[in-house]
Amino acid sequence: MLQLKKSDYDKILSHAVQGLPNEACGLIAGVVENDIKKIEEVYLLTNIDNSNEHFSMDPKEQLAAVKDMRAKGLTLLGNWHSHPESPSRPSEEDKRLAHDSTVDYLILSLQDRENPVLNAFLVQNHTEVTKEEIQII
């Protein structure tokens, strides 16, 4: 299970809405306690693809985020990105690019702008997708 503070959820949502019509993206970091992944830091990164169908994180921003995580003693828990026009589930491209089966992939759907949907997934072997519970606290 993932725990996400409401303020961090709002931060992700705001960044995703500001990025429209393109996908927005970022990283999540935190600590793992008793099988609960507590998200302590959300990183808002630039989608250098400027696309509404896929994303690539800015490498310099990624490196800065990882350095910040290490300095704070946090673990990379995964990444997040938005789907401006499709449901909150991994696309074929998302699965193909999911190279780490130990981290979560969060997807925020803005398909229905009034009712955004955030889900988390674990992806194994680029094909097997398991939904993981997110608790917003």
Side-chain angles (χ1 to χ4, degrees), residues 104-119:
D104 281 274
Y105 297 90
L106 279 64
I107 300 174
L108 176 68
S109 172
L110 298 173
Q111 187 174 21
D112 177 355
R113 302 266 158 81
E114 301 304 312
N115 298 292
V117 177
L118 179 66
N119 286 310

Side-chain angles (χ1 to χ4, degrees), residues 20-24 52 82-86 108-111 113:
L20 290 171
N22 297 324
E23 288 191 1
N52 67 342
S82 62
H83 280 184
E85 301 164 5
S86 59
L108 176 68
S109 172
L110 298 173
Q111 187 174 21
R113 302 266 158 81

Side-chain angles (χ1 to χ4, degrees), residues 33-61:
E33 296 176 358
N34 303 322
D35 294 329
I36 297 175
K37 301 169 194 171
K38 296 182 178 185
I39 299 170
E40 300 290 335
E41 196 74 46
V42 170
Y43 297 91
L44 308 176
L45 304 183
T46 303
N47 176 4
I48 60 174
D49 290 343
N50 292 315
S51 169
N52 67 342
E53 295 180 343
H54 52 89
F55 72 98
S56 293
M57 295 179 193
D58 181 300
K60 290 178 184 169
E61 293 176 359

